[in-house]
Amino acid sequence: MASLDRVKVLVLGDSGVGKSSLVHLLCHNRVLGNPSWTVGCSVDVRVHDYKEGTPEEKTYYTELWDVGGSVGSASSVKSARAVFYNAVNGLILVHDLTNKKSSQNLYRWSLEALNKDSSPSGVIVTNGDYDREQFAENQVPLLVIGTKFDQIPENKRNEVLTRTAFLAEDFNAEEINLDCTNPRYLAAGSSNAVKLSRFFDKVIEKRYFTRDGNQISGFSDRKRFGAGGFKNLHND
């Protein structure tokens, strides 16, 4: 295959929310049969047709970087993760719809990746202290994905989806809720598939069709670490 232009998208969220299962589904359109914990970072590639069906259609490689670890890790672990945050074109924030804490922690993950706060503190969505201005100037495209949709009790579904809608609004992002063990949630032509395609189109536009590329910036001041932290046990 001819060499293609590429973009880099971070996939962030707490351990156990299903990031690796999600990445496998996005890249291979198949369920990951035996997910395991991700140590360091696992990278997979999705082929995306930018502006599919139009005269501007072009194929790109989309690198999905599944970053392991916990948002509450020691500062040394956070510093080691910084190497993965260099030259990023987009963020997919993943949370478990049955685990409210994993949803709340997306604020801390995003702040860490966007270099707004080297050691973010506090779950700021539940106590009224969250300031969405922290993200007002962010130019990096974001997508919020909720997993384990099938595990939400029927009588709790409206409550959960209302809460996650506010989450996506805070990030000025679209949201997708799905079950990573069922590919039909991303079936061609579905609303989720349209949202996903729209997100990747936006990432590519920001990278290749704007003056500065709108990559995450400011990482030149971080201490650099070698790439030895890449160890792929494929999953969380």
Side-chain angles (χ1 to χ4, degrees), residues 20-230:
S20 296
S21 295
L22 172 66
V23 168
H24 190 82
L25 182 62
L26 292 178
C27 294
H28 306 286
N29 197 32
R30 294 195 306 270
V31 174
L32 181 62
N34 187 26
S36 56
W37 298 100
T38 299
V39 177
C41 183
S42 173
V43 182
D44 210 338
V45 176
R46 173 188 172 94
V47 178
H48 177 71
D49 291 323
Y50 170 73
K51 290 194 173 181
E52 185 176 11
T54 73
E56 292 81 22
E57 180 176 340
K58 182 180 177 181
T59 302
Y60 290 82
Y61 284 141
T62 303
E63 297 178 350
L64 298 180
W65 290 52
D66 170 12
V67 178
S70 169
V71 75
S73 300
S75 58
S76 59
V77 177
K78 292 180 181 179
S79 296
R81 279 201 299 258
V83 68
F84 307 134
Y85 299 157
N86 189 43
V88 171
N89 307 117
L91 299 179
I92 295 178
L93 303 173
V94 186
H95 63 115
D96 175 350
L97 292 166
T98 68
N99 182 343
K100 190 174 182 179
K101 185 175 178 61
S102 74
S103 305
Q104 296 166 343
N105 281 343
L106 292 185
Y107 296 96
R108 302 172 70 184
W109 276 110
S110 57
L111 288 172
E112 181 181 309
L114 293 170
N115 203 22
K116 300 287 187 181
D117 187 342
S118 59
S119 57
S121 60
V123 176
I124 41 188
V125 65
T126 58
N127 58 16
D129 293 335
Y130 171 66
D131 179 9
R132 70 177 58 184
E133 293 301 318
Q134 293 174 99
F135 300 97
E137 297 181 1
N138 170 50
Q139 296 298 312
V140 177
L142 301 174
L143 179 66
V144 177
I145 296 184
T147 62
K148 307 183 185 179
F149 182 78
D150 58 310
Q151 297 181 27
I152 306 174
E154 192 69 35
N155 63 340
K156 294 287 187 179
R157 190 158 292 180
N158 287 339
E159 175 188 340
V160 171
L161 296 184
T162 298
R163 169 169 53 82
T164 62
F166 282 113
L167 185 73
E169 182 180 352
D170 281 340
F171 288 114
N172 190 28
E174 289 194 292
E175 66 167 338
I176 292 174
N177 298 315
L178 47 67
D179 167 16
C180 293
T181 66
N182 192 336
R184 73 177 178 84
Y185 282 93
L186 294 175
S190 67
S191 61
N192 284 345
V194 171
K195 290 178 183 179
L196 190 66
S197 180
R198 194 156 52 211
F199 168 72
F200 287 129
D201 278 1
K202 187 175 181 180
V203 170
I204 290 165
E205 285 178 356
K206 294 286 187 181
R207 170 64 180 88
Y208 288 102
F209 300 103
T210 61
R211 179 173 298 179
D212 61 3
N214 283 325
Q215 300 180 108
I216 291 180
S217 59
F219 292 93
S220 59
D221 295 329
R222 291 187 184 269
K223 183 177 180 181
R224 296 298 181 180
F225 291 81
F230 287 81

